[in-house]
Structure formats: C-alpha cells, structure tokens
Amino acid sequence: MAANTGAMRILIKGGKVVNDDFTQEADVYIENGIIQQVGKELMIPGGAKVIDASGKLVLPGGIDTSVHLQQTFMNASIQDDFYSGTKAALMGGTTMVMALVLPEQHCSLLDAYENCRALADAKACCDYALHVGVTWWGSKVRNEMETLVREHGVNSFQMYMAYKDMMMLRDSELYQTLQTCKDIGAIARVHAENGELVAESAKEALDLGISGPEGIEVSRPEELESEATHRAVTIANRARCPIYLVNVSSMAAGDMISAAKMQGKVVHAETTVAHSVLNGMQYYHQDWAHAAAHVLVPPLRLDPNTPGYLMGLLGNDTLSVVASEHRPFSIKQRALGKEDFTKIPHGVPGVQDRMSVIWERGVVTGKMDENRFVAVTSSNAAKIYNLYPRKGRIIAGADADVVVWDPDATRTISVSTQAQGGDFNLYEGQRCHGVPLVTISRGRLVCENGVFMCAEGSGKFYPQRTFPDYLYKKMVQREKTQVYKGVARDPYSGDVAMVANTMKKELGLGPMDGETPTKGNSAPRAHQGVRDLHESSFSLSGSQVDDHIPKRSSARILAPPGGRSSGIW
C-alpha cells in the first residue's frame, strides 16, 4: 500500500488553502511527494486521485515539536513506540514529529542518537527529526554536539535546569552549552525550573506528609519557573545565543518571556496542549489514579485563568508553538509513586488530540484565527527548526504534507477509540470541532475518514540545517555591531601600593597570587610607631604581635579625652 500511494498523483479540489499568513480558494496538485501546483483551473495529467474538499480547509500538516517515544523514563517504559506514536500523530493531522533523545549522565550523545535512529527508522510512519538532550557537560559533550550537527542532521539540543542529580546543568555549564549552540548554529531548548529549590520543596512536602499527586504542584510553584525563566533568558543573552523555552506553564513565566521580547532579546517559547487547556485542580481529585494521570512538569497550575492566558499568548505570538509533550504511561506505572509523588513518572499523552483540542479551545473560542492556528501547530515550528518552506506551508515545491480539515465536523475524544498509548485520556468525553478527514504525508495518502493506510517503517528521518534565519539573523547582525572593545589608553606609570599580608605571614602561609616570594634571609618588616589598624593584632598561634611590650598594672590619665572633669554627677 505504501509503495502504491507514494507514486500517486493527488488533486485536492474545491477547498480553502490556509497558510499562516493568508487564506485562498485554490486546488492543490501533488505528485512524487511534492506539491506541484496551487491555484485555480490547474492543468494536470490524467490518472490523478481527486479528493473533494468543498467547504473544507486544506492545511499544512502539523509539526509536533516535542514527543517522547520508545524510551524509559523514571523507571517506566513509555507506552508508545515509533510506530504507534507516529500512527496516532498522522490520525490526528500531524505529519512530522520531533522526538527527544535523552542520554544517561556521562554517556555518549552519539551512541544514544544512533540507538534512537535504529529504533525509529524501523518503525516510524511519518517524517521525524531528533532533539538530543545535554544531560551533563564536558569537552566530550561539546565535541559530540559538533559532530551531531555536522554529520548527522541534528540542529537542536535540550538542556534542563530541573531534575537535580539526573539531568540538571549548573548555570556555568548552561552558559557554556549555550555558547556552543551559538557557535555551531543549533537551537537551544531549555526546560526552566529552579532544580535546587524544587528538590528542597519536595523534601519539605514529604516531611509534611504530602505524598500524593498534589505534591507535584506544591513542590514546583510558579515562582520557581518564572525565576528560572528569567535566569535562562539572562544566561542566553550573555552567551549571545537565541533561546527556545519549552513547557511554559504559568502566567508569570509567560509575562517574563513577553518582557524579554519587548527588550529585544531573541526568545521563543512553546507551551503544551495540557497547560493551555487544563488547570492544577486535577491534582486534588479524590481518585488517586485520576490525579496521578495529570502529573507532568512543570505541573498544571492552580489558577483557573492560566490555560486561557496561555492560549491568549499563543494567539498574540508571545508563545510561538504548541506541542503535545507526548509521554504516555499506564496507571500501573504511575503507581510506582503511590506513596511518594516524586516517583510518579512525569508525562501525559496528547500527540493524537493536539490539533483538534487547540482548534476547539483556540479557534472556536476566538483566541486565534485559522491562520494563527496553522502558525502555532506547524509553520512557526518549521521556521524555527529551519524546515520552512519545505514544511509548514502549502506552496509549489514544498513537501506534500497536507491535511484536509473539516472545521464544522465534531468528534468526541475517548481513550477507548484512541490510537496513542496509555490507558487514560486527559480530554476524555470532550467534544471537539475540527476533524482531519484526509492526511497526506510526503505525497502518500496515509489516513482517510479514520482508516489508516501506512506501513511500519515507511517514514524517514529528516536531517535539519543549522543557523535558521528565524533565530540567527538578528544575532549575526548584533555580533557585527555590538562587539565588546577595550579602551585604548596610555599605561599607568605611577606608584603602586604595597599590600599588607601580616596575617598570612603569621599563619605561615605561602605567598598570595601575584606576590613575589621573599628571597634570602631578609627579616620580616618590623612594627614601628603606631600600630597599623588594617593589620590583625591577633594570631591563632597564641603569641601576639605586642607580647614584647612590657605591661604595667595601672596608669594615671592626666589629660583624658574631652578634658578633665571637675564635678560629680
């Protein structure tokens, strides 16, 4: 089936073509996996399959920038491999996924990448790309980052300010990682939470007897995200590296990003479907399994206004991308943390429902229009990751990743009908407008009216180019005009003060940095006249600097300070 559909000629007729910047009534002709023509009254060869899109929208296929497939995390195996995960994506209207390779600490990034490629190439149904996590730092990591970019088609790396003792980088390490990303032209993805304080807060919550899923919200408050967001933006600005913040979950962090953009800093950010639709009261549900099924990091926020606020930030371009952050686990796996919330595996499903849920909560509610929907689900990701306009746009010459979308049809989401993994759906029973009727991936008809027609392993790895203009054009110009320069001046030729080091000598320490050691048997400087009060008169050895001065039992004061007193008070 895959071989036949790959060679198909397809004409999508009578629909409205929606790109991120405009909508037009046009037909779309596809051949050899490429969009060949877009327009009215096209001249095409015979034998093409005609898809009637009258009254429907024709969208660029979705790009999900954050999925986790076929790996183990927090002692649990994710419930989707590259086949079931990409199948679910295609059925939901997403034609490209970006998965995360997460090496163990002190393990090779290259080895982890090669292992992931081997798994994905055998099973993926659609185009995919890989981010590589930087979970530790050293010269070996720097060299492997360069190799991945130069030889393996990777152009994005993900760093964590959270997960202390697992993946967290210190500020100095993050700074060096960002400098490396800038030098090699990669996208620096950063998960911003204050990992040190998260660890302390988790201990405090457990000490208070809070062991249930609500502990995830108690131990990771908004301020720990907003503080780390500010710190990440500051570090990136000092490193002169564009930054891409992931999993933005709170109003405070959103405001921090908005302020940074207003200041001219090159900052882009993505939120997740769950954060822009649900709130943190889920953690206080009486059913432990229900509450645990919503555990992800950063957590859902208690303020009920947060989801609408984040959806608004997606609508006004403060947030650029919405991802699924798809990482499904079963209730049985989450029960690893039934007595300790820190052991509940972090992650929720969503790759199949991302497009429909955002259409329902974003477009239907008026938070965004159809063009902005295309931007946050596809085009912006293509621009940021240097895929545009091959991906994320319906234009002659682009890859034929196309979805025929019915904006008026509805579907009810249910775990019983989903193709994605996991035994719980966050949006169970939700009725969504916006249904993908036809999904075309690289010119192959892979899904039509709910029927899936794609062979395992027919997807391909999509190598990515570095230095995307969308991120780096500004930085290149700033490098030219904002170079640090020293002041040209005559050298100082006057005297230089001597530095007193009596305390150091009394303690028998060696010379300080920059001090010339005493040569020969020259005697130490004697104390003369009035004692220098900047020097210490106390020695740990017991003997003091004024022991050689004879002591008197008493002394009469003839002229006390302030004059002699002649009366009695």
Side-chain angles (χ1 to χ4, degrees):
M1 176 66 74
N4 293 336
T5 55
M8 283 180 72
R9 296 167 176 168
I10 301 174
L11 175 64
I12 304 172
K13 195 170 179 60
K16 280 186 178 178
V17 172
V18 183
N19 283 307
D20 63 321
D21 52 354
F22 72 101
T23 302
Q24 64 176 345
E25 290 190 3
D27 300 337
V28 180
Y29 175 62
I30 295 166
E31 187 177 349
N32 296 326
I34 301 293
I35 296 173
Q36 303 290 345
Q37 299 180 61
V38 178
K40 299 293 285 182
E41 300 179 1
L42 304 180
M43 298 292 292
I44 61 170
K49 175 181 174 63
V50 178
I51 296 172
D52 182 9
S54 301
K56 311 296 188 294
L57 304 178
V58 182
L59 313 179
I63 300 173
D64 195 336
T65 54
S66 190
V67 302
H68 306 264
L69 302 171
Q70 211 159 335
Q71 62 182 209
T72 299
F73 185 72
M74 294 181 70
N75 300 315
S77 296
I78 290 168
Q79 294 285 290
D80 267 319
D81 61 12
F82 273 91
Y83 173 68
S84 61
T86 54
K87 174 184 176 181
L90 288 167
M91 293 188 73
T94 293
T95 55
M96 181 174 184
V97 299
M98 295 184 178
L100 180 65
V101 178
L102 210 52
E104 296 285 332
Q105 270 195 325
H106 308 297
C107 292
S108 166
L109 275 63
L110 274 170
D111 290 349
Y113 164 84
E114 295 288 2
N115 292 340
C116 189
R117 277 292 307 273
L119 295 171
D121 286 342
K123 289 183 174 288
C125 298
C126 65
D127 284 347
Y128 75 95
L130 296 175
H131 314 297
V132 177
V134 178
T135 55
W136 59 289
W137 186 243
S139 57
K140 180 182 179 184
V141 176
R142 181 186 289 109
N143 294 335
E144 288 193 335
M145 287 172 71
E146 292 179 10
T147 303
L148 285 165
V149 162
R150 192 171 58 249
E151 300 175 14
H152 297 282
V154 171
N155 78 345
S156 53
F157 297 91
Q158 181 153 325
M159 286 67 74
Y160 290 86
M161 299 170 78
Y163 293 107
K164 184 182 178 184
D165 300 329
M166 286 174 60
M167 299 181 288
M168 188 179 89
L169 298 182
R170 298 193 303 272
D171 287 357
S172 59
E173 295 171 329
L174 179 60
Y175 178 73
Q176 292 174 61
T177 311
L178 291 171
Q179 283 188 315
T180 302
C181 285
K182 181 199 72 171
D183 293 340
I184 62 181
I187 296 103
R189 294 166 51 95
V190 177
H191 175 114
E193 282 184 290
N194 188 319
E196 294 281 356
L197 293 189
V198 164
E200 293 299 320
S201 299
K203 289 178 193 170
E204 290 171 7
L206 290 169
D207 289 344
L208 290 170
I210 301 171
S211 61
E214 67 277 10
I216 199 80
E217 193 278 326
V218 171
S219 63
R220 303 176 104 104
E222 280 194 33
E223 60 184 349
L224 299 192
E225 182 189 6
S226 62
E227 182 278 329
T229 299
H230 181 265
R231 187 155 37 101
V233 170
T234 302
I235 293 170
N237 195 52
R238 295 301 301 167
R240 301 195 174 193
C241 177
I243 190 170
Y244 182 95
L245 294 156
V246 301
N247 300 356
V248 175
S249 72
S250 66
M251 292 191 280
D255 289 342
M256 202 70 71
I257 292 162
S258 179
K261 282 175 171 275
M262 291 290 287
Q263 293 161 10
K265 293 170 182 170
V266 184
V267 181
H268 294 278
E270 76 178 29
T271 187
T272 75
V273 183
H275 287 120
S276 57
V277 171
L278 303 170
N279 68 62
M281 286 307 296
Q282 306 289 343
Y283 300 126
Y284 293 87
H285 197 282
Q286 285 298 308
D287 180 1
W288 184 92
H290 178 99
H294 291 79
V295 169
L296 77 166
V297 293
L300 302 174
R301 298 305 180 185
L302 278 182
D303 190 331
N305 297 314
T306 300
Y309 193 80
L310 293 176
M311 192 68 76
L313 295 182
L314 279 169
N316 70 20
D317 205 30
T318 298
L319 299 177
S320 303
V321 176
V322 60
S324 66
E325 188 61 15
H326 179 77
R327 189 192 267 143
F329 295 106
S330 66
I331 295 299
K332 189 183 293 186
Q333 288 172 312
R334 294 179 188 279
L336 290 168
K338 63 187 176 67
E339 294 172 351
D340 180 349
F341 68 86
T342 64
K343 295 177 182 175
I344 300 172
H346 301 159
V348 296
V351 70
Q352 185 173 353
D353 303 318
R354 179 181 73 110
M355 302 274 281
S356 289
V357 172
I358 294 300
W359 183 272
E360 177 68 27
R361 294 301 184 92
V363 179
V364 174
T365 61
K367 292 275 188 181
M368 63 181 76
D369 58 23
E370 63 203 26
N371 305 102
R372 185 64 195 165
F373 172 80
V374 166
V376 300
T377 58
S378 180
S379 302
N380 285 350
K383 292 173 184 177
I384 289 167
Y385 292 96
N386 224 357
L387 305 167
Y388 194 82
R390 286 286 300 275
K391 304 281 188 189
R393 191 166 185 85
I394 295 180
I395 188 175
D399 290 345
D401 294 337
V402 181
V403 175
V404 178
W405 188 265
D406 189 338
D408 300 317
T410 60
R411 73 182 183 94
T412 301
I413 295 174
S414 174
V415 69
S416 62
T417 56
Q418 70 184 20
Q420 65 192 15
D423 51 9
F424 188 93
N425 194 304
L426 302 181
Y427 317 105
E428 184 71 34
Q430 187 173 130
R431 187 166 169 266
C432 285
H433 293 81
V435 175
L437 300 180
V438 175
T439 305
I440 297 167
S441 173
R442 282 275 187 108
R444 299 170 299 138
L445 186 63
V446 293
C447 190
E448 186 172 15
N449 297 320
V451 179
F452 188 70
M453 306 171 286
C454 186
E456 186 173 320
S458 58
K460 287 185 171 56
F461 175 73
Y462 200 101
Q464 293 166 281
R465 296 170 293 120
T466 52
F467 290 104
D469 285 346
Y470 200 66
L471 299 184
Y472 274 96
K473 261 188 175 178
K474 285 183 189 175
M475 305 309 290
V476 171
Q477 186 61 29
R478 290 176 188 182
E479 286 286 323
K480 295 176 184 175
T481 59
Q482 299 178 6
V483 177
Y484 293 129
K485 294 179 181 177
V487 177
R489 57 167 70 91
D490 294 334
Y492 175 76
S493 57
D495 295 336
V496 180
M498 297 293 293
V499 179
N501 294 305
T502 303
M503 176 93 179
K504 171 181 71 65
K505 291 176 181 176
E506 288 288 339
L507 293 175
L509 300 176
M512 296 177 69
D513 290 345
E515 181 185 348
T516 305
T518 305
K519 294 183 179 179
N521 296 320
S522 58
R525 179 169 62 89
H527 289 269
Q528 297 176 355
V530 179
R531 175 182 294 166
D532 183 349
L533 295 180
H534 290 287
E535 296 184 358
S536 172
S537 62
F538 176 76
S539 171
L540 296 176
S541 65
S543 60
Q544 306 303 325
V545 295
D546 55 359
D547 283 352
H548 65 283
I549 301 173
K551 303 290 190 299
R552 289 190 294 174
S553 58
S554 64
R556 178 177 294 178
I557 304 301
L558 297 177
R564 187 192 301 254
S565 173
S566 59
I568 298 175
W569 281 85

